[in-house]
Each structure stands twice: as C-alpha cells, then as structure tokens.
C-alpha cells in the first residue's frame, strides 16, 4: 500500500511534461511550474491495486533489518536487488536503501517486536500461557497482583516503545516527507489536512463491555457522556453473556455506536489459524446481524493479516503503546492507518482505564489529560477506552466525567464516533490537492470538509502547520 502517500496526501509540484503545466502530484517530481489553468488530479486513483510491500506479506519475508533514518529508529526488509530502484529510495544513516512504505508498515504491523526490540523471550510466552490457563482458578485479587508484578517487570525491561508515549512512527513519517521534499527541491508542500471542518486534532470515546457486570452497568458512563452531549462506541461480547437486541437498539437510538468485541472473550482468536477460522464466520454473522461496522479484539490481541477477513469497515485493537498489554507492541503513532483497502485501523491512544486503575494504580484524569495533551501536540487522534466493568461506582463515573471535560475543553478538536473517523480517513485518502488559476483546492470525496495544511522544511525537519480558519 502507499502508506506515506495515504498519510500525508501531499501535493508536490509535478513535471509539466508528464502531468501538464499546473499539476499537483503525490510524489515529488520537480519545481513548481507557472499556474495558468485548472489542473488534473495526478495522485494514483484509490481504486487501482496498490503495490504490496514485504511487511504486508503474511508468510515468508526477506530478512528484517534495523537501523536509523535521520536519527529515527527504522525497521525494514532487506532490498534484494537494489539497482535503479535503490537510487531513489531513502537510505539509512549507514547508507542502506529501504522502502518507505515497507518501513512504515514494519512499525504499524509491529514487526519490530519479533526483531528483538526488547526482551520478549520464550520464558515470557510460557509464563503468559500458564497464567491464562490458571486464570479461571485464581481469585481476582491474585490475578491483579500478578498483573502488577508483570507490569513492573515490563516497565523495567522494555526500552521500546517508551512508556507511556512514543512517537517513533510519526517521527519516521515526517522524516520520510522531509526526504521527499529535499528530493523535490521545495521547502514547503501543501497536503490534505488530517481532520475535517478545520479541526487540528480528533477525539472519540469507546467502551469494551467485557462481562455481564459491565453489561448491567452501562448507564453511569453513558449518562456521564449524554449529560455533556457526547456519545461513544460500545463493543459487546456476543457469546459471553446475553446480549438483548432491544438493549442494543436503545443504545443506538440514543446516538451511540455499537460494535463487536470478539466472540467469548477467551483471548484465543488469533492463537492459531484453525482457531481463527472457527470463530471468524460467527463473528461476521454478529457483525451483519447487529448491523455494525466496527470490531475490537478481546485483550487487544491482534493479527494485521487476519483482521481484514472480518466483515468490518474498521478495527480498533491496536494501541499506540502496548507495552503493558498481553500482546506487547504498539504502533508508536497517533493516526489511523490501513490494514487493507477496506479496513481502517483506529489505534487506542489514551491509556486504558484497566491499566491505570487496576495495574498501575494511577489517577485516570491526570494520566489521560497528560496523554491527550501530547496527542494534540501531534495533531493526532485521541481515542479512549473505558470499561463499564471497572467503573460501577459514582466516584468512578465522576472521574470519567472529568476526563470528558478535559477532552472537550479544547474546541480545536474534532469530536466524533469511531465509524465517522474511519469513513473520514477513507474519504481523505481518496482525495487530492489540485492547483487552479485561483489557487489550491481539495478535490475528491473529502472536498467539502477538508482544509489544506502545510508542511515546512527547515534544518532537515518538517514542521506541520494546520489551516487557519
């Protein structure tokens, strides 16, 4: 996939001979020609089959390499026949060529975990398997204490990603754009703004309803939102407790979104190909029967190659930082990305309530507010995850309300539901910047909502400037 192009939707000056005198291309080609007439859209059409890079292949891949690119950690698959292709490719600080889209996918698909970026060894996998085998027999208090011990060990041992926030992917994207701008000989480039309606960042609210206790205690969190004219997405487990259609419709009629959260919350969805196939069709049945478009995997287990087999428009199982999750990793970025041409990934970017309340014993308001401020500084998506299972008291609901107040205090953020974010991201990636006699404009399905942002190059680094409305 064209991951760098999808992310920035940048309008580089195009070669007049190739594209006409006023074209804007999504790849850097040449200096800006004179403007005399409306330009054609020269970005590759979204309907065309995008190229597949090694990181997107589920199976045998070339050796995974690690290096630095402009001081940013980078993982990539070895280029077997550099040739002419390598001459135009970015190169690591040691001079080794790599593919930009492959390097981006290596982080988004978390290939770096398997490449030894931290001490995830066989003994950890064995301990995790033993824990989940014994979990049904362990008292809840002992379960939590074991999770706290494991969290302390992880925080001491895992150096990448940095907890609680690590912007390596976003830094890599900016560095790759800087390389393109230098190659094009420009110090600024317009691109389709990350968010619609002139907003500078985005935020949305989600809930996993893990147990019958959570199912029976939706209202405190829902009412905290509704009293502030907010709504959220609720992901239900179809075969762990009784899910009533009338309850789903009531929540939907009140303006909330419904999604599917696995099948039985067993943590086994991706444990083997056979296990996945045995559950996939039933999950797809609930997706269709409930009329939903979103999915989240229990315990945030994830497989970027198999998730697109689910009949959903978006997934939200990945996290920007999954250092403390059962499946360690994290995409190290705060923007949506594509798992397939259809499926958008919406990463969880605010610290999860379970991690804060039960494991780290940190204040949810302080932790979420601090992380949201960092996400805003990146112009990213702040996506929260709170469980009704852990927020059953008035005090906990009030703390959640304080998180909502903190998020809503900044009116430069676009508040929306997850399905709206996913749909916007699809419209945006199918839109391009064109140059006309009167200036630049966005053309495509996002045209009515989009604004044009600028990326400026100075000292080899990119600075993002949102549109001023």
């Amino acid at each position: 996939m064209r991951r760098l192009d999808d992310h920035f939707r940048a309008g580089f000056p195009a070669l007049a001979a190739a594209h006409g005198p006023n074209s804007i291309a999504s790849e850097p080609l040449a200096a800006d020609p004179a403007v005399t007439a409306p330009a054609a859209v020269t970005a590759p059409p979204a309907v065309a089959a995008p190229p597949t890079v090694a990181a997107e292949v589920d199976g045998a891949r070339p050796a995974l390499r690690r290096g630095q690119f402009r001081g940013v950690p980078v993982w990539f698959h070895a280029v077997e026949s550099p040739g002419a292709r390598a001459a135009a490719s970015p190169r690591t600080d040691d001079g080794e060529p790599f593919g930009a889209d492959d390097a981006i996918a290596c982080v988004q698909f978390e290939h770096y975990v398997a490449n030894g970026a931290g001490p995830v060894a066989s003994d950890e996998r064995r301990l995790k398997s033993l824990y989940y085998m014994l979990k049904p027999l362990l008292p809840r208090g002992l379960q939590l204490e074991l999770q706290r011990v494991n969290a302390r060990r992880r925080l001491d041992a895992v150096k990448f990603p940095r907890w609680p926030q690590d912007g390596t992917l976003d830094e890599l994207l900016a560095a790759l754009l800087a390389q393109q701008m230098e190659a094009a000989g420009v110090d600024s480039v317009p691109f389709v703004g990350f968010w619609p309606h002139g907003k500078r960042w985005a935020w949305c609210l989600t809930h996993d309803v893990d147990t019958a206790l959570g199912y029976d205690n939706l209202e405190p969190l829902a009412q905290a939102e509704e009293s502030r004219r907010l709504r959220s997405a609720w992901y239900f487990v179809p075969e762990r407790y009784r899910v009533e259609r009338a309850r789903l419709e009531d929540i939907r009629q009140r303006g909330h979104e419904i999604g599917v959260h696995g099948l039985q919350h067993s943590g086994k969805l991706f444990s083997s190909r056979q296990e996945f196939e045995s559950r996939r069709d039933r999950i797809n049945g609930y997706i269709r029967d409930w009329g939903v478009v979103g999915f989240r995997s229990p315990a945030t287990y994830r497989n970027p190659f198999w998730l697109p087999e689910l009949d959903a428009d978006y997934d939200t199982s990945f996290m920007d930082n999954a250092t403390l999750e059962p499946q360690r990793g994290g995409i190290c970025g705060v923007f949506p990305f594509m798992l397939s041409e259809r499926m958008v990934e919406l990463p969880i970017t605010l610290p999860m309530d379970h991690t804060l309340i039960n494991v780290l014993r940190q204040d949810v308001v302080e932790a979420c507010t601090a992380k949201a401020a960092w996400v805003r500084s990146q112009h990213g998506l702040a996506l929260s995850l709170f469980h009704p299972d852990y927020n059953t008291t008035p005090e906990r609901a009030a703390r959640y309300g304080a998180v909502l107040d903190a998020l809503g205090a900044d009116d430069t953020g676009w508040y929306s539901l997850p399905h709206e974010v996913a749909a916007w991201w699809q419209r945006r990636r199918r839109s391009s910047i064109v140059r006309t006699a009167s200036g630049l404009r966005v053309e495509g399905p996002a045209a009515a909502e989009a604004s044009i942002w600028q990326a400026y190059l100075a000292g080899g680094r990119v600075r993002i400037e949102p549109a001023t409305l």
Side-chain angles (χ1 to χ4, degrees):
M1 299 187 73
R2 301 179 180 93
R3 295 184 177 274
L4 182 60
D5 190 50
D6 275 352
H7 183 75
F8 279 110
R9 304 306 300 148
F12 281 94
L15 280 172
H19 301 290
N22 307 302
S23 296
I24 295 292
S26 56
E27 296 292 335
L29 296 175
D32 190 13
V35 175
T36 58
V41 178
T42 61
V47 294
T52 298
V53 298
E56 298 167 349
V57 175
D58 184 13
R61 294 184 292 270
L64 191 63
R65 308 279 294 168
R66 182 180 182 182
Q68 296 272 318
F69 177 64
R70 301 185 177 219
V72 179
V74 62
W75 289 264
F76 57 95
H77 292 92
V79 177
E80 296 178 351
S81 301
R85 175 186 168 206
S89 296
R91 292 176 178 268
T92 68
D93 295 346
D94 292 330
E96 188 171 1
F98 66 93
D101 292 329
D102 179 67
I104 294 167
C106 279
V107 183
Q108 291 174 337
F109 284 23
E110 302 173 307
H111 291 316
Y112 67 85
V113 177
N115 195 43
V120 179
S122 58
D123 59 337
E124 178 174 312
R125 292 192 290 271
R126 285 194 296 269
L127 286 172
K128 184 167 66 177
S129 298
L130 179 61
Y131 170 76
Y132 278 99
M133 183 176 67
L134 297 176
K135 184 178 178 181
L137 306 175
L138 300 176
R140 180 60 175 165
L142 181 56
Q143 291 179 27
L144 292 177
E145 188 55 40
L146 290 173
Q147 291 179 32
R148 293 180 193 119
V149 170
N150 183 57
R152 289 193 293 269
R153 188 189 64 79
R154 287 267 188 97
L155 291 176
D156 288 340
V158 175
K159 306 305 179 186
F160 183 86
R162 298 180 301 273
W163 174 266
Q165 58 207 37
D166 190 310
T168 293
L169 175 59
D170 297 333
E171 294 170 9
L172 175 62
L173 288 161
L176 290 166
L177 180 63
Q179 187 257 349
Q180 284 192 334
M181 293 173 70
E182 290 174 355
V186 298
D187 58 12
S188 68
V189 65
F191 68 96
V192 181
F194 291 130
W195 308 113
H197 314 305
K199 298 300 185 180
R200 301 169 69 97
W201 63 289
W203 59 288
C204 58
L205 312 168
T206 72
H207 308 284
D208 290 351
V209 186
D210 288 351
T211 66
L213 176 64
Y215 184 81
D216 292 338
N217 286 277
L218 302 178
E219 288 305 316
L221 298 187
Q223 290 176 12
E225 294 164 354
E226 292 171 10
S227 66
R228 294 165 171 82
R229 298 184 178 181
L230 300 172
R231 299 297 186 269
S232 60
W234 301 80
Y235 302 92
F236 294 90
V237 185
E239 297 183 4
R240 190 178 197 184
Y241 46 80
R242 184 182 179 188
V243 180
E244 300 167 314
R245 175 60 68 90
R247 186 81 181 277
L248 299 183
E249 291 306 314
D250 173 68
I251 294 170
R252 205 187 325 248
Q253 288 297 317
R254 289 155 61 181
H256 298 271
E257 180 180 342
I258 301 301
V260 173
H261 188 37
L263 196 64
Q264 299 157 341
H265 212 283
S266 64
K268 297 180 179 179
L269 181 59
F270 302 112
S271 60
S272 70
R273 183 65 197 178
Q274 180 180 4
E275 192 72 44
F276 175 72
E277 291 178 355
S278 73
R279 297 166 184 265
R280 176 195 58 205
D281 293 344
R282 283 150 65 198
I283 291 173
N284 283 337
Y286 287 110
I287 289 173
R288 290 188 290 268
D289 185 50
W290 291 359
V292 305
V293 297
F295 177 82
R296 178 177 287 146
S297 176
T300 70
Y301 282 110
R302 53 215 179 269
N303 183 311
F305 305 110
W306 300 353
L307 273 165
E309 296 180 37
L310 299 180
D311 193 17
D313 292 342
Y314 76 86
D315 171 72
T316 177
S317 304
F318 285 72
M319 304 181 76
D320 76 309
N321 193 310
T323 298
L324 300 181
E325 291 304 293
Q327 182 178 334
R328 191 177 69 81
I331 69 159
C332 307
V334 291
F335 291 94
F337 64 94
M338 305 307 298
L339 287 177
S340 68
E341 279 297 301
R342 175 188 178 183
M343 182 174 277
V344 182
E345 179 59 40
L346 304 180
I348 303 161
T349 57
L350 297 187
M352 192 191 304
D353 62 339
H354 167 70
T355 303
L356 298 173
I357 295 170
N358 296 326
V359 180
L360 299 180
R361 294 174 172 173
Q362 294 181 356
D363 181 70
V364 295
V365 180
E366 180 179 342
C368 288
T369 301
K371 185 68 178 292
W374 179 75
V375 173
R376 283 198 302 271
S377 73
Q378 311 299 309
H379 305 296
L381 169 66
L383 191 150
S384 69
L385 169 52
F386 278 72
H387 299 73
D389 315 72
Y390 311 131
N391 294 276
T392 58
T393 67
E395 179 184 5
R396 290 275 176 85
R399 300 306 286 165
Y400 178 61
V403 172
L404 301 180
D405 292 338
L407 289 170
D410 184 347
D411 64 4
T412 66
W414 177 46
Y415 153 72
S416 56
L417 291 169
H419 80 272
E420 295 171 321
V421 177
W424 156 255
W425 205 253
Q426 286 281 25
R427 292 194 300 275
R428 178 182 178 270
R429 68 188 289 259
R430 287 171 167 78
S431 300
S432 301
I433 292 179
V434 297
R435 188 182 301 276
T436 69
S438 58
L440 300 175
R441 63 179 172 84
V442 176
E443 184 169 291
E449 313 150 89
S451 56
I452 296 176
W453 294 19
Q454 293 286 336
Y456 294 98
L457 180 65
R461 300 179 67 87
V462 164
R463 174 174 59 86
I464 300 300
E465 186 64 40
T468 301
L469 299 181

